[in-house]
Amino acid sequence: MNKTLLYITVIVIATCGLVYELVVGALASYLLGDSITQFSTVIGGYLFAMGIGSYLSRYIDKGVAQRFVEVELAVALLGGICAPVLFLTFTLTDMFQVALYGSVIVIGALVGLEIPLLLRILKDQLKFKDLVSQVLSLDYLGALAASVAFPLLLVPKLGLVRTSLLFGILNAAVGLWSTWLLAPLLGNPLRLRIKAVVLTVFLVVGFALGDRLTTFYEDQLYADDVVHASSSPYQRIILTRGKRGFSLFLNGNLQFASLDEYRYHESLVHPAMVRAGKVEHVLILGGGDGLAAREVLRYPEVRSVTLVDLDPAITGLAMRFDELVKLNHHSLTDARMRVINTDAMQFLMEGTQQYDVVIVDFPDPNNFALGKLYTTGFYKLLKKRVAPDGVAVVQSTSPLFARRSFWCVENTLRAAGYWTEPYHALVPSFGEWGYVLVAHEAPGHHRALPEGLRFLDIPTLESLTRFPPDMGPLPTEVNRLNNQVLVHYYEEEWRRWN
């Protein structure tokens, strides 16, 4: 028995096992939102199921090698098809959560069987202490490989569907080569080899059709035609075209619809631009689609605009996708524009330049990674980069649908030492949407609105700060890095509407 190949087997099955867990967690987060709950319940359920599988291994007394190969083939089949089946279940039925947690339990239990069975196969080859230390060390090494490759390589290059199918193929390959490694223990391995070959061919065909499968699922998920679909290390990017023009979705969440995005972006940019002492140097955090930059560049006084967006896939799309380039008026290739792809908090920590206007256009705080960008810690870093007579504005979710979340953002900005002025605007694709204007002290009105705006004029601008009773202030906690209370507010409030 070749121990080296068996050790390679350990690494492969450990990598496959963790990848299936990550695929299911990412897919649940992508389709259901609420990433904290989805990953928490998927990981917890998966580990629990692995414990069940490990316990059940005690009842396998005979034919351990054959059972190991059969388990590998079962994991290959169920793990390999988990993503396409879950996508299909979500698009065609209302049984998605049953299928989701059923997959977690069954795949987890089978993965939990693998290592105990392999340990029993190897028990006559190594001393017990060497057996346990070497097998478990390799198991953890495989888990590390999966956790690094999944966000950096697998999801951006293959997507969730082809990732699960690829690792199903690897599991099937383990089952197939195990019929030779364990041949002396199997008796007649021919039947197992035939099953492994048939399963491998089935999964290879699925992998070859992976892009078509993904396109089919996404066509069912979105009301309009999908005209662009890609994955980056940070998110799934979808552009659709339909009656509302074209729309951008990130991880399934609408970012704008071209029919009415001007309402959102005019409301985001111009209240700050007309109130700042100067508008020569502008910083945009987020806004990689170039639409906020389009509004900033309406002011001839602007000399430089620095746009910081984490994902180069978004800023690249905003420079190459014809309809988006036309919509943003070629803003990202303007001579005054500087585009930096990095983390916004890191950017603020590393520099010292101050800006006359700062536009903060991050996605809503639906997870801790985004929630950190709405904390007192982040806002204090931001404050150092706002010029003494400068103004900043923060998009702050909906004061109607997520009222407590909106006022939490405003309360957090005040706790960071800003003068604040909350306001809101109606954007039909989103509903009532909120913003908070901030400065070191109350600013005056320094300039007129530019010509050519479709939504804002002076009377409209003055009306934005008036809140009806159902959107008025609420007491909230301050969002700090160590509590991230805003993420909890947000998930609780939006769950009622989704």
Side-chain angles (χ1 to χ4, degrees):
M1 188 182 301
N2 191 316
K3 288 188 287 186
T4 300
L5 287 179
L6 280 171
Y7 290 151
I8 294 173
T9 296
V10 174
I11 295 176
V12 172
I13 63 178
T15 305
C16 291
L18 186 59
V19 165
Y20 299 140
E21 180 181 0
L22 293 171
V23 164
V24 174
L27 194 148
S29 176
Y30 173 46
L31 295 176
L32 299 178
D34 191 8
S35 59
I36 298 170
T37 299
Q38 305 312 326
F39 269 102
S40 179
T41 55
V42 166
I43 291 171
Y46 197 85
L47 292 174
F48 172 72
M50 288 179 65
I52 293 175
S54 296
Y55 179 80
L56 293 177
S57 68
R58 66 184 296 183
Y59 296 105
I60 299 176
D61 295 321
K62 299 179 181 178
V64 172
Q66 179 169 336
R67 297 294 174 264
F68 173 76
V69 175
E70 290 171 344
V71 166
E72 285 307 300
L73 298 181
V75 172
L77 175 61
L78 297 176
I81 66 172
C82 67
V85 166
L86 288 173
F87 266 121
L88 189 65
T89 304
F90 184 84
T91 56
L92 300 181
T93 76
D94 58 357
M95 300 290 288
F96 176 73
Q97 289 191 318
V98 174
L100 174 70
Y101 292 108
S103 299
V104 168
I105 296 301
V106 174
I107 296 172
L110 289 170
V111 170
L113 279 168
E114 291 175 319
I115 296 301
L117 293 179
L118 193 58
L119 286 170
R120 289 165 64 181
I121 292 169
L122 289 169
K123 64 181 175 60
D124 296 327
Q125 307 294 318
L126 296 168
K127 294 180 180 179
F128 179 75
K129 65 176 183 178
D130 294 329
L131 173 64
V132 173
S133 64
Q134 292 182 25
V135 170
L136 292 184
S137 296
L138 293 170
D139 184 56
Y140 298 143
L141 179 62
L144 173 64
S147 64
V148 172
F150 185 78
L152 299 181
L153 178 64
L154 297 174
V155 173
K157 300 297 183 182
L158 298 179
L160 294 177
V161 169
R162 290 205 297 167
T163 293
S164 72
L165 288 164
L166 173 64
F167 281 82
I169 293 168
L170 291 178
N171 258 137
V174 167
L176 182 58
W177 82 47
S178 294
T179 63
W180 276 276
L181 287 175
L182 306 177
L185 305 176
L186 291 174
N188 183 10
L190 180 60
R191 182 176 297 180
L192 289 173
R193 287 174 185 167
I194 292 172
K195 290 180 180 179
V197 170
V198 170
L199 177 58
T200 302
V201 171
F202 170 73
L203 293 171
V204 167
V205 171
F207 181 83
L209 298 175
D211 286 340
R212 295 184 185 180
L213 291 172
T214 302
T215 299
F216 170 77
Y217 302 138
E218 290 179 333
D219 284 343
Q220 308 308 308
L221 286 174
Y222 298 99
D224 298 329
D225 294 336
V226 175
V227 295
H228 173 86
S230 62
S231 295
S232 76
Y234 308 104
Q235 55 208 340
R236 181 68 174 168
I237 304 164
I238 300 291
L239 278 169
T240 66
R241 184 186 295 114
K243 294 180 179 179
R244 295 188 300 177
F246 72 97
S247 303
L248 173 67
F249 294 84
L250 300 180
N251 289 342
N253 298 309
L254 178 66
Q255 303 304 300
F256 71 79
S258 62
L259 181 67
D260 60 10
E261 57 78 20
Y262 68 90
R263 279 180 163 251
Y264 172 87
H265 290 102
E266 288 183 15
S267 301
L268 173 70
V269 170
H270 297 295
M273 295 293 286
V274 300
R275 302 285 292 277
K278 295 185 298 183
V279 294
E280 293 181 358
H281 303 289
V282 179
L283 172 64
I284 302 174
L285 301 177
D289 51 35
L291 298 174
R294 176 197 66 198
E295 299 302 319
V296 168
L297 293 171
R298 290 181 185 273
Y299 294 83
E301 309 100 299
V302 171
R303 294 172 54 191
S304 70
V305 182
T306 302
L307 187 145
V308 179
D309 192 288
L310 180 63
D311 195 347
I314 294 294
T315 53
L317 191 67
M319 298 180 196
R320 294 190 306 269
F321 188 76
D322 288 343
E323 288 180 277
L324 185 50
V325 170
K326 183 178 178 181
L327 190 65
N328 67 33
H329 296 181
H330 300 265
S331 62
L332 296 194
T333 54
D334 188 282
R336 294 167 287 176
M337 179 66 62
R338 178 189 179 204
V339 176
I340 301 174
N341 296 119
T342 190
D343 178 79
M345 182 172 279
Q346 194 70 26
F347 173 83
L348 294 180
M349 291 173 64
E350 292 177 350
T352 58
Q353 180 181 349
Q354 292 190 323
Y355 297 88
D356 302 314
V357 178
V358 181
I359 311 293
V360 183
D361 190 20
F362 296 136
D364 279 3
N366 57 17
N367 59 57
F368 289 139
L370 290 169
K372 75 174 185 178
L373 305 176
Y374 290 79
T375 60
T376 51
F378 180 84
Y379 292 144
K380 287 177 180 178
L381 286 173
L382 179 66
K383 192 176 182 183
K384 296 177 182 178
R385 310 298 291 276
V386 179
D389 60 348
V391 174
V393 62
V394 179
Q395 93 77 13
S396 307
T397 196
S398 172
L400 179 61
F401 301 125
R403 184 179 174 188
R404 192 173 298 276
S405 300
F406 174 80
W407 292 106
C408 177
V409 175
E410 194 271 343
N411 189 21
T412 302
L413 285 161
R414 281 192 289 108
Y418 291 95
W419 169 90
T420 67
E421 182 175 81
Y423 64 99
H424 65 99
L426 177 62
V427 183
S429 292
F430 297 104
E432 288 288 345
W433 212 254
Y435 315 82
V436 182
L437 191 74
V438 300
H440 297 287
E441 57 185 32
H445 286 268
H446 295 280
R447 62 191 50 79
L449 290 167
E451 294 183 359
L453 301 187
R454 300 168 62 189
F455 174 56
L456 285 184
D457 55 19
I458 294 301
T460 304
L461 185 62
E462 293 173 349
S463 73
L464 299 185
T465 58
R466 294 194 290 270
F467 285 80
D470 62 349
M471 294 193 294
L474 288 175
T476 71
E477 293 185 51
V478 172
N479 189 45
R480 303 185 190 279
L481 196 58
N482 70 334
N483 68 8
Q484 293 266 24
V485 66
L486 175 60
V487 177
H488 300 291
Y489 286 153
Y490 183 89
E491 290 184 343
E492 179 183 346
E493 291 180 307
W494 278 102
R495 191 181 297 123
R496 293 178 298 173
W497 301 96
N498 294 330

